[in-house]
């Protein structure tokens, strides 16, 4: 073996090979030099730290991750500029018109006095709403139609999404999804016309029954069947739109879970029950809360087109009632008061449904703190 070389430190030389200054031992001089260097460093660090503290105070409190809001604004300035047109449209068409709700507290005259000249009457318009028995009948009828659509319409997109998810062929699945989604682009005028040609008194189904010796029928003018009719129309028109949301949620499910369940002996139905449906629960809870929040926002055009066929007793909803008794007769103060009541009622429905979602262990619209 080679002998190990022994290196003896020279006290008279520094680390770079230069001779140490004479006049004292290297250890003492090193301590003095180190103390001086620390003194200079502390002074310079204090000055630099003070400047940094002043800059941080001007920039504002740091955001999560140590980035100030100015840095975030500079970094995301392109995205901010892209969202400015959408924010402007939202302010112009959604928030600025809210100032017009002041007419709910006025005896509003749209033709002569306007908002600035109409007399202030307080809560008189709201008192008229609560004393109007017809208003409460319309409100109950609106909720009945909503509950019918919630029971018949809401589960169908989930079922269609589950069926499409089991189709292995990508081409077949794309064709089925396109066919189901296509009616979403039809107007309500076209949808009502199609149903009239199919289920009306002179429709195809009625004519076929007459040709085979049966009595015809007219579902389009049957008041008792109206809530089921509008639910069927909503299913045919908008079920494909809901399928997209649930298919997107199904695409995020880890395929390893299906493989593990199959290895454990789970069949197709048990995999759907224990893997697929739990993955859809957050999305289902969120959409259900939003659906409950829009309980009073049924399709105005759909109902108005069929209002005269079945009569206002069965088809009148809150929107058509406000249009008929408020806007059409010129009583804008009453219509504005009914609109405010509708908004407050919808907010209460959202908060209540979200509370139920929290009780069931779901996040809902916002998380529980």
């Amino acid at each position: 073996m080679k002998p190990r070389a022994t290196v003896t430190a020279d006290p008279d030389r520094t680390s770079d090979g230069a001779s140490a200054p004479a006049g004292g031992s290297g250890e003492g001089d090193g301590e003095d030099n180190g103390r001086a260097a620390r003194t200079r460093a502390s002074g310079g660090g204090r000055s630099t730290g003070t400047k940094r503290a002043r800059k941080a105070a001007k920039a504002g409190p740091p955001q999560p991750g140590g980035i100030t809001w100015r840095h975030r604004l500079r970094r995301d300035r392109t995205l901010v500029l892209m969202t400015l047109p959408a924010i402007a449209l939202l302010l112009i068409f959604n928030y600025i018109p809210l100032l017009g709700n002041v007419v709910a507290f006025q005896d509003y005259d749209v033709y002569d006095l306007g908002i600035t000249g109409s007399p202030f009457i307080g809560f008189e318009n709201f008192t008229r709403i609560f004393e109007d028995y017809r208003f409460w009948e319309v409100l109950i009828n609106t909720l009945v139609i909503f509950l019918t659509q919630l029971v018949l319409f809401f589960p169908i997109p989930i079922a269609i999404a589950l069926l499409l998810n089991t189709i292995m062929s990508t081409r077949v699945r794309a064709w089925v999804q396109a066919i189901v989604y296509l009616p979403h682009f039809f107007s309500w005028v076209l949808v009502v016309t199609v149903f009239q040609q199919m289920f009306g008194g002179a429709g195809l189904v009625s004519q076929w029954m007459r040709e085979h010796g049966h009595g015809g029928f007219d579902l389009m003018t049957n008041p008792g069947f109206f809530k089921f009719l509008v639910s069927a129309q909503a299913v045919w028109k908008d079920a494909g739109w809901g399928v997209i949301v649930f298919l997107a949620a199904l695409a995020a499910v880890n395929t390893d879970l299906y493989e593990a369940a199959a290895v454990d002996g789970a069949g197709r139905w048990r995999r759907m029950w224990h893997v697929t449906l739990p993955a859809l629960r957050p999305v289902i809870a969120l959409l259900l809360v939003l659906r409950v929040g829009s309980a009073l926002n049924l399709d105005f055009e759909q109902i108005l087109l069929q209002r005269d066929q079945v009569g206002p007793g069965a088809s009148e909803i809150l929107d058509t009632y406000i249009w008929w008794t408020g806007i059409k007769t010129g009583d804008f103060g009453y219509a504005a008061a009914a609109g405010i009541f509708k908004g407050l009622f919808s907010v209460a429905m959202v908060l209540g449904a979200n509370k139920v979602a929290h009780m069931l262990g779901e996040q809902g619209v916002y998380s529980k703190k």
Side-chain angles (χ1 to χ4, degrees):
M1 297 180 62
K2 295 182 180 180
R4 180 178 299 176
T6 304
V7 180
T8 304
D10 189 355
D12 295 335
R13 290 185 176 275
T14 59
S15 60
D16 58 354
S19 300
S25 62
E27 182 178 357
D29 293 341
E31 292 179 356
D32 294 339
N33 293 336
R35 188 179 300 109
R38 287 193 298 270
T39 302
R40 290 192 300 269
S42 63
R46 186 181 301 109
S47 177
T48 304
T50 305
K51 293 179 180 180
R52 291 179 179 176
R54 291 175 181 175
K55 290 182 179 180
K58 292 180 179 180
Q63 301 293 331
I67 303 177
T68 62
W69 68 270
R70 289 187 178 182
H71 292 161
R72 289 177 177 272
L73 185 62
R74 190 180 302 113
R75 181 192 63 186
D76 301 330
R77 59 182 178 273
T78 304
L79 299 177
V80 173
L81 292 176
M82 291 174 62
T83 57
L84 285 180
I87 295 176
L89 291 175
L90 191 66
L91 290 175
I92 294 173
F93 293 102
N94 290 83
Y95 288 96
I96 294 180
L98 291 177
L99 300 176
N101 285 330
V102 69
V103 302
F105 306 93
Q106 295 177 335
D107 186 10
Y108 181 60
D109 187 357
V110 65
Y111 302 106
D112 298 328
L113 301 178
I115 295 180
T116 57
S118 297
F120 183 80
I121 60 174
F123 292 92
E124 183 176 337
N125 288 321
F126 293 92
T127 304
R128 291 171 54 195
I129 289 177
F130 291 111
E131 293 178 351
D132 188 0
Y133 74 94
R134 179 60 181 162
F135 176 83
W136 297 104
E137 291 179 355
V138 171
L139 180 62
I140 294 174
N141 189 60
T142 304
L143 294 176
V144 169
I145 296 177
F146 162 72
L147 292 175
T148 304
Q149 292 189 1
L150 185 66
V151 173
L152 299 180
F153 171 67
F154 188 77
I156 290 180
I158 303 174
I160 296 176
L162 294 176
L163 291 175
L164 289 178
N165 192 54
T166 59
I167 299 176
M168 302 302 297
S169 176
T170 306
R171 180 175 298 181
V172 175
R173 181 165 50 189
W175 273 102
V176 174
Q177 184 178 351
I179 294 173
V180 175
Y181 183 57
L182 182 62
H184 176 74
F185 299 99
F186 296 164
S187 66
W188 278 115
V189 176
L190 181 57
V191 173
V192 173
T193 302
V194 170
F195 272 76
Q196 179 68 39
Q197 296 298 322
M198 292 294 296
F199 304 105
L204 295 178
V205 177
S206 181
Q207 292 181 8
W208 181 86
M209 294 184 65
R210 289 192 184 97
E211 291 175 357
H212 290 77
H214 302 285
F217 66 94
D218 189 0
L219 295 181
M220 303 298 293
T221 59
N222 188 347
F225 193 77
F226 180 75
K227 53 182 174 294
F228 303 104
L229 176 65
V230 294
S231 301
Q233 293 171 353
V235 168
W236 186 69
K237 186 178 187 296
D238 292 328
W241 174 260
V243 169
I244 295 178
V245 179
F246 293 110
L247 282 178
L250 289 175
V253 180
N254 191 356
T255 56
D256 295 339
L257 298 177
Y258 291 104
E259 297 177 358
V263 170
D264 292 339
R268 176 177 298 180
W269 290 102
R270 294 186 66 86
R271 290 198 299 268
M272 182 185 69
W273 183 261
H274 294 287
V275 178
T276 307
L277 289 179
L280 290 178
R281 279 185 60 183
V283 180
I284 294 174
L286 175 61
L287 295 181
L288 187 59
V289 171
L290 296 177
R291 185 73 177 177
V292 170
S294 61
L296 302 182
N297 293 327
L298 301 179
D299 290 289
F300 171 78
E301 185 180 358
Q302 177 194 13
I303 305 298
L304 185 63
L305 289 171
Q306 306 172 87
R307 181 176 182 270
D308 296 334
Q309 297 182 6
V310 297
S315 64
E316 197 80 284
I317 61 173
L318 193 58
D319 287 338
T320 58
Y321 180 74
I322 293 174
W323 169 78
W324 183 265
T325 61
I327 298 176
K328 194 172 182 179
T329 59
D331 195 354
F332 291 94
Y334 183 90
I340 293 176
F341 173 83
K342 174 184 172 182
L344 296 177
F345 185 87
S346 299
V347 171
M349 293 286 287
V350 169
L351 295 178
N354 200 74
K355 182 67 175 179
V356 174
H358 288 168
M359 294 172 60
L360 297 177
E362 300 298 335
Q363 181 175 352
V365 178
Y366 55 88
S367 59
K368 184 179 180 181
K369 295 182 180 180

